[in-house]
Amino acid sequence: MSLPGGSPQPSYLLASLRADCVNKPFHQRCQDLVRVIEDFPAKELHAIFPWLVEQVFGSLDGSIVGWNLRCLQEKIAPLEFHSALFFLDPSGAMMKLVYKLQAEEYRYDFPVSFLPGPVRASIQERVLPECPFYHNKIQFPSSGGLGLQAFEYFMFHFAIFLIIQRNFITGQVCNYSDNAYYILVEKYLNWFLPIEGNVPPPHFSNPGGAVPSPAPRSPSISLASYGTSPSLLKRHISHQHLVNADPAAQEIWRSETLLQIFVEMWLHHYSLEIYHKMQSPHAKESFQPTEEHVLLVRVLVKHLHAFANSLRPEQSSSSAHSHTPSPMEELKKVVIPRFIQPKLYIFLQHCFGHWPLDASFRAVLEMWLSYVQPWRYVPERSSSPLSNEPQNRAVSNKWAPFVQENLLMYTKLFLRYLNRAIRSDLVSPKNALMLFRVAKVFSQPNLPEMIQKGEQLLLEPEPVMPHRHHRLLMSPSLGGSFLSSWQPPIADASFKIKSHVYSLEGQDFQYTQMFGSETRNLVLRLAQLIIQAKQTAKSISDQYPDTGSQSLFSWFGLNNQDQNNTYTGNDLDDSGYDSIRKTDEHLEKSLEYLCQIFRVSVHMR
């Protein structure tokens, strides 16, 4: 980009960049932007920042595609692919621009209408959202939007890019796992939530280049008009000031902000009340996640498990009085229960209840199975969490607290899956594979016993039941900072489990036991359906003994293209896509695993 000497007016700079969008190729525009960000002061870059974000991610209404990151692939457009990744890298030019603007504390408006449904509803009803993260950002009624600092503004747009439906070019193939957006999600998670060490400091060209943590800001809303407890907001603002005053705590403000925005924008589309309303068969969905959306949530889940599990025993032990935990260590301790568990549970409940009864459910299934197996994501154990290892390895008792404090993730969602499986065509290779995956995971030695022990603790008589109003204590929702409502751990295991269940489902929840008679009857019914499906598959195979797999796929209404477009996970330990002949094996093993889990005997006819 040829720029005249001196500093042009912001309007001239913006007009020049807009002209370049028409006249110059993409990679050249990226190179020019790198120089502009390096050469111009924050005051002039401030004027182009919202325009540049929209150019990259597209407009919020979906009419402008932007750089089309979700369809940008190396094998199709290598030059554009690498130019975009270089520019948007966590250590790249775009983030350097963000830090320049962050240091000057510029604010940018993000419309409330594009926030998740429960948050948007709260603000529109003039009630502070439950999540304190929003409290000092709301500018209502002056603008009806959030006043965000540069890092927050960029990450909000980056996160919402996944769930806004874009006007992609007709016929354009957008692979889920090798496009620029997918790769950037992984890059940002690895950079801002590092498995080892801390977040690298921001690169900043000005003298004394440290970029401060977001400064505390007084709320621009009236507490009285929102009708909520002033103490919550005051505690949040007060705590935020302490965090900013502590240099050691500044290392995690970007980590915490990115995590909160990802969870809010990707998972917080249903509140407990909305979820209960959605149980009606006549309820209309307020938000429908896509397969791509679910696959990226799985990436987040797997990374957070690895992040949390990278905390060494001496760091997590409360007896290690000689070691003062760093803010990053404290974040690792609470990242699963504090940030992701409550919203992920409601998100999964919705998916299990409303996802189409077809093979695309595999994406939801694998995301769920990733969450309930944190032991697969221990960084020290191997370079790959899904390496080839004995599949009958027992689950260590050290995971019992996780299982108990996530009991509904195991028991209620297993029941939801049983009901789906009973309604599925188990002769379909993909449905048989999904059943096999679930049965295999839940049959891991010692896991059924830990789940059953959790149920026993839940059902123990308790003189004083936890009440839903204790939510902030028992299962705190996302906050402005995770320390703001963090409480000392509750010692009693039974109370912890009850807290988990009632905070997620409400005080009036009627629990159905996974190892009770009702579920046992469902399992026996499913076992009979498995036997029938095996017999059907055998009769079809006998009827066409000399045909290849293509004819069998045609018989079941499948084709090779369908195989490749349904689920694009790259790390699955199965080979069920290739042939209908795997169906019999998957059904047989599923039956065997279910009999192990529930200690039942089912005889083949």
Side-chain angles (χ1 to χ4, degrees), residues 10 16 18 23 35 62 68 93 302 309 349 447 478 543 545 565:
S16 178
R18 282 176 169 161
N23 301 320
R35 290 197 294 271
N68 205 12
K302 289 165 62 177
N309 292 337
Q349 282 277 40
L447 180 57
L478 293 178
Q543 198 171 352
N565 288 344

Side-chain angles (χ1 to χ4, degrees), residues 176-191:
Y176 295 150
S177 59
D178 61 359
N179 63 59
Y181 185 74
Y182 188 102
I183 292 168
L184 283 169
V185 169
E186 292 185 318
K187 280 179 174 284
Y188 289 159
L189 288 173
N190 287 322
W191 184 276

Side-chain angles (χ1 to χ4, degrees), residues 30-70:
C30 287
Q31 293 174 2
D32 289 344
L33 283 169
V34 171
R35 290 197 294 271
V36 166
I37 291 168
E38 187 68 37
D39 295 343
F40 285 89
K43 180 179 179 181
E44 291 164 7
L45 296 173
H46 164 62
I48 70 165
F49 183 55
W51 170 85
L52 179 56
V53 169
E54 187 173 86
Q55 286 300 302
V56 173
F57 300 119
S59 58
L60 289 174
D61 63 9
S63 60
I64 300 174
V65 176
W67 287 6
N68 205 12
L69 296 173
R70 282 160 52 192

Side-chain angles (χ1 to χ4, degrees), residues 1 150 181 247 267 295 310 349 366 372 448 575:
M1 178 179 183
Y181 185 74
L267 296 176
L295 290 171
S310 66
Q349 282 277 40
E366 294 298 339
V372 298
S575 57

